[in-house]
Every structure is written in structure tokens, then in C-alpha cells.
Amino acid sequence: MLPRSKPGGPLIERVAGWSIRHRYLAVLGWLALVVFAVLSSALIPGDEARSVDPGDSGRAQQALRAQQVYEPIRESVLVQARASGAPRLLDDPAARATMEDLVTALRESGAVADLRSPLAADSVELLSQDGRSGLVTFQVAGSDDQRVAKYETAVGVIEAATARHPDMRVAQAGDRSLSVAVDQAVQDDLQRSELISLPLTVVILLVVFGSLVAAGIPLLLAATTVAGTFGFLQTIGHWMPINSAASSMVLLIGVAVGIDYSLFYIRRVREERVAGRGITEALQVTARTSGHAVVVSGLTVMLCVCGLLFTGLDNLQGLAVGAVLVVGLAMTGSVTVLPALLSLLGRRVDSGRVPWLGRRRTAAAQSRAWSAVARSVVRRPLLWGGVASAALVVVALPALGMRLQDAAVTDSLPRSVPAVDAAIRMQEAFPGAATPSRVVIWRTDGSDVDGPAARQAIDELRRRVAGPVAVVEVDQALVVRVPLPGGGTDATSNAALNALRDDVLPATLGKVHGIEYAVAGRTAFAHDFTDVVRDRSPLVYAFVLVMAFILLMVAFRSVAIPAVSIVLNLLSIGAAYGVVTWVFQDGHLTSVLGFTPYGGVVGWQPLFMFVILFGLSMDYHIFILSRIRERWTAGATAHDAIVGGISTSAGVVSSAAVIMTGVFSVFITLGAIEYKMLGVGMAVAVIIDATIVRGVLLPAALALLGARAWTLPGRRTSRDPVPDPTSSAAGIPMPKPASIT
């Protein structure tokens, strides 16, 4: 008969005890939960919630959504001579023949409308200032359900014209061509990351555990956790927007915490087995120690991620909900189905041993290297702690000059993508033409805005701006496409956007009674999004720091521990900020990492990195602190407790850090610069946290604090007694809840 945990014992141990006694029911219950989550979205009819852009761009988006038809697709085709020193476009017979052929073929295809080219006398703005480049612009014809097919027809016509005139450069970029390029690049990147990260994780787990079965358990927990989370997110998506980027981050976080929690659990079970305990007793001790640490860590991660809710941004709020779900499920699975599985497997958990690794890896042992490092640090904590802190501060210094700036499409993706190359060339010849701002105009009473007054104001607007301006009718609204100088998201573009919003539009459209207007587009969205992130970041930072402090204070019954933990996390995150700024904003290691710097850091990444890293790093931190506290409460001196805690936790922490670093490093190999930034920042932070913070700064800080680290102000230093492992009625050790590992 399986032993029972004491009725009044900690909740986590009682839950794990129930799972161990009802092993099959616990496993079937977990699988039923995952299946229910996956199928739950099918039970709720209706469309998914739609994201709303922030600020003025969101007003424009909502005004267009209120119309009965979609905004038409507009595309531009750049025509240039490939040879250098070619004559001006209109003086070059080959260039004129190319444009005439292209215009004729597009018109005869029936796939386009509002076709314009430099050949027309009234289209001088479609000729570049140097006269060597021309734009052929058009609108995809047809109804909403025909426009994709019509677009494909137009693309085929352009490709055929390009083949007929090999001496001329005919390059297309516009609404759909750039969107398709971005979507395809993101999809390819995500597929590549999954193909690389999964085998890499499997190999690392095999090396860590030395057996196929033990390595498969973390993957099983992570896979079912992520599957269940995606199922619930599809249901939640009916009320809250969940985009593909949020889903990718949820996958990343789910794999990370699912594997981490399994590592913590299985490693402790092995230690207890080596100490001579049976499988059930080992699982009960693990639930009380590592299980408690997993719950505290999971709650900390969930609270930290909740800080993103304060941004008010749909994308980040959806990510926050997804992260809370996936961490919560991983935490729940770790204290329910995981002990049940380990109880079912027993010694078979070490089956399928890997040659040359199996015997060594299945036995838990302390790390001699980290033990030696920790022993050196606690002997001279002020020296080592000061040197390590100074080094991290120096690494973080570039972050003081960080400039938040989203990457334009031409900055994000490599030039090898044809639409991106076309957009870059178009931007050089016609600034802003590839991704123009869109001024949406509508009447407050819902009637048709198109009329003499509005058209007169638009004509005045056209005279005040440079470049080709296009007007598109969208049901009862009008969209005026205004090219802006600059790179799309840089200071020049933002200055032009502010001038358009604050000066040009009030002096033109603002004088027309009864109409509303707002500016959308890639420049406007990036500007508005970054403004919101910048304004809300202090609130998010404050929430995360306060919540982490309170939770750690309650968990460890100490003020010093949460204070030290927060300071050390800020040091590692600050250093990661510094590396990202130095590499991507200042333009170092460009050839190694394969990117082109654009002078900024993606606006949402510092806040995202802070929230995610602060939460994930607490996994290691809480696990290590718990091991140290366990030894201190058992009677060890402060220095011996630090060295013992560091050395016994070294294997699992190093393994988890290697897996996380490997997964994050995969992002560096992807094409988009946003993913490269994220990969470098997250990988650097994890490496710093698992080495300098874990091996030097944490033991140095605890050595300086001594016994004061484990007490609340005003209380005498005391140690919670640790009962004899054989003293409980059930034959299971029952230390007090404050003793966590």
C-alpha cells in the first residue's frame, strides 16, 4: 500500500501524494485536460477577436473596418536601367518600350485599375528627381473575393514583362507584395527554428539524463503543456486577440519552463534515490522541496508576465495571457502528472541508457568545479562580488544610449528577398513610395465623405507634400496615400509624420466641417506603438519588481533575499541590454550575425526581455536559494550552506541554462533582425545569469549577509528545525513549509 502524506502537510505535498496514490487517474486526468483544451475552441462559434492598433493609427484602422468593403490593394513597379550611365528614362528607347509593354499588358489583363505611369503628361511625380527611375502604379481590380486572384494575375504579367526586357530592372513592391514577403519570411523562420531547436533540445536532454526514457519525460510534459495552452488560447482568441508572434513566444516559454521544471523534479528524485529512499518516499520529499520551488518559481513568472497587461497593447496582452496559461499548466503538471509518471515508471525511468553516458548521468553528484568557485567567492566575497558587479555595469553601459526604433520592412528582412530589394531601390528613388502613410478620411455622421470640399482639401494636401500621392475610395471613406521621407521608422520619417499630423492635415482637411481624419501606415503604427511602450514601461517595471519582491519575501521569510534577487536580475538584464545595443544599434559583429544595422533597437524588445527574463531567471534563482536555505536550516554554517547549495544545484541549473541558451541561439540564425536581437539578448542574459550571477554574485551577496539573509527585520536569527526523515507516522519526512528546495 502506498504511504500517505500527513493530513495537515503542505498543499503541494498533499497534491503530489494524491497523484502518486492514484497514478493512472492522475495521468488520464492530465491527458483529458489537454484533449479538452484542444477541442474547446470548436465548442464556441464565432469569429476571432481582431487586434486594434494603438493611438491615431488605431482610429484610422477602426474607421476602415466600419466600411462595407476592404481597402483596395495598391502596388508599385520600379523601372530602371540595369547598366550604369544609361540615359534618362524618358530619353531611353529601351526604357520607354519596357514601360509601354508593361502598361499595355497590365491594362489588357483586366486585373488592375487606376493604372498610372511616367509616360502620361500629368504624372511627372512618377519620375525620380534624376530622371533615371520611373514608377508604374496600379490598384488591384475586382471585388473583395476576387482581389487575391487578380493580384496573382498582375504579378504574372509583371514577371512576364521582366523576362521580355532583361536589360531593364522591373521590380515590384507594395501592399500585398511586402505583406506576403513578411509573412513568408516569418513562417520560414519559425519552421527553421522548430526544426533546429527540437533536435538540439533532445540531444542536450540525452546528455543530461543519459537515458531515453528520462529524456523523454520533460519533452512529454512540455509538449502536452504547449498543446493544452494553444487549445485554450484558441478559445480565448474569441474575446482577446492572439497573434502568431504571441503564439511563437508562448511555444518558446512553454518548452523552457516545461523542461526546467522537469529537470528540477527528476534531478531531486534521483538524489533521494541515491540517498537510499524508495521511489514513493523520494517523490514525496521531492514534492515538498523541489515541488515547492517549482510552484514559487511558476507563480513568480506568472506575476511578472502579468505586467504586460498594463501596456494596454493587444499584442502584448495576448502574449501575457498565453504565458500565464502555459506556465500555469507546466507548474500544475509538474506537481501532478509528473510525480504520477515517475511513480509508474519507478526504476524504469533510467531505461534506454545512452552508451558512455548512462551510468555516469543516472547518478546525481555535486559539481566540483562550481563548488571550488563558490568556495573561493565566499572566502573573499567583497572582492569577487565587486569585480563581477563592475564587469556587468561596464557591459551594460551602451544601454544608456539605446534608441527605441522599430525596424522597417527593409531593415527587418534581408535584401535577398525580392520584394525587400525592390522596396529599398524604390525608397532610394522615391522616398516613402513603397510604404506610404495612409490618411483615412470619414464623416462623423457616417455618410459619404467624398465631395467637393474634401477633394479641394486633398488637392491642397497634395501641393504641400512631395512625391506621388494617391487617393483611394473605400466605401464611404477616402484613403490618401502620402509618401514620407526617411527610412520608414527612423527620426526623419517620424519628424515627417509629426509634421503631417500636426501641421499639414489641420491646415487642409482640418478646415472641412463634419469630417474626421487619422493617419495609419507602417510609420504611424511603429511610432504610436513605441510611444505607448515608452509611456507604459515605468508602470510595468514597477509592477514586476514589487510583485517579485512580495512573493519572494513571503516564500523565503526574508527582506534581504528578494532585494538581492532583484538587484542581481537587474544587473544581468542590464548587461543583456548593453550587448543588444552595442551589437545591433552600434553595428558590431554584423558579418558574423548576418544583419545590417539601422541605428536602433526594436521598441518592444527591452520591455519584453525584462518581463520574460525576470520571470525565467527566477527559475534558477529560486532553485539555488532553496538548496542553500535547506542546508542552512539543517544546521550548516552560512558559508557551507552556500557552497553546498551551489554545488548540488549546479548540474540541473547548468543543464537548463544550456537548453535555454541553445533554443534562444537558434533565433540568431533566422532572417529577421527582430529575431536576431531577441536571440542575442535572451541568450546573453541566460548565460550571465547561469554563470556570473549564480557562481559569483549570489554567493558573494549571501556570504556578506550571513545569517541575516534568512530573517525578517526585527526577528532574531533562528533556524527552522528539520525533522528526522523516519519520524513521521507515514515514514515520510515532513519539514516545515519554510524549508524549501
Side-chain angles (χ1 to χ4, degrees), residues 582-597:
W582 183 78
V583 172
F584 292 97
Q585 180 176 298
D586 299 341
H588 296 91
L589 305 179
T590 55
S591 59
V592 175
L593 300 178
F595 71 96
T596 301

Side-chain angles (χ1 to χ4, degrees), residues 10-13 257 261 264-265 286-305 327-328 330-332 334-335 544 547-558 561-562 565 614-627 629 710 736-741:
L11 175 62
I12 300 166
E13 185 183 356
V257 297
Y261 295 164
F264 297 163
Y265 219 95
T286 301
R288 180 176 66 246
T289 53
S290 291
H292 194 176
V294 164
V295 171
V296 173
S297 173
L299 291 175
T300 305
V301 175
M302 292 164 70
L303 280 174
C304 289
V305 173
V327 174
M331 180 183 70
T332 302
S334 297
V335 296
V544 171
M547 289 296 101
F549 185 91
I550 292 173
L551 187 59
L552 290 177
M553 183 177 67
V554 172
F556 289 98
R557 299 179 184 178
S558 166
I561 289 296
S565 300
F614 202 93
L616 293 181
S617 65
M618 283 297 175
D619 281 353
Y620 312 137
H621 216 67
I622 290 172
F623 188 74
I624 297 169
L625 287 170
S626 302
R627 286 296 181 101
R629 179 175 175 80
W710 309 106
K736 296 192 176 184
S739 262
I740 62 175
T741 300

Side-chain angles (χ1 to χ4, degrees), residues 126-149:
L126 297 179
L127 197 65
S128 64
Q129 288 187 348
D130 63 3
R132 301 183 186 279
S133 302
L135 274 185
V136 175
T137 65
F138 62 88
Q139 176 178 308
V140 176
S143 59
D144 290 342
D145 57 346
Q146 296 175 329
R147 59 183 191 162
V148 174

Side-chain angles (χ1 to χ4, degrees), residues 241-265:
I242 309 290
N243 64 14
S244 59
S247 299
S248 301
M249 292 301 105
V250 167
L251 173 63
L252 183 69
I253 295 169
V255 171
V257 297
I259 290 177
D260 273 7
Y261 295 164
S262 300
L263 283 172
F264 297 163
Y265 219 95

Side-chain angles (χ1 to χ4, degrees), residues 393-483:
V393 169
V394 170
V395 174
L397 286 178
L400 296 176
M402 180 186 291
R403 293 187 296 275
L404 298 183
Q405 176 186 329
D406 278 3
V409 177
T410 52
D411 299 319
S412 174
L413 300 179
R415 199 161 182 172
S416 57
V417 178
V420 172
D421 181 69
I424 292 174
R425 296 180 184 278
M426 204 174 290
Q427 187 75 13
E428 293 170 350
F430 302 91
T435 56
S437 287
R438 292 153 45 226
V439 181
V440 181
I441 311 168
W442 70 99
R443 280 199 174 275
T444 54
D445 60 5
S447 60
D448 194 346
V449 74
D450 197 3
R455 288 288 178 171
Q456 185 177 357
I458 292 172
D459 290 340
E460 178 63 23
L461 168 62
R462 197 191 302 267
R463 287 190 288 269
R464 288 172 177 258
V465 298
V469 175
V471 182
V472 179
E473 296 180 13
V474 185
D475 196 23
Q476 305 289 327
L478 291 175
V479 178
V480 183
R481 293 173 173 252
V482 180

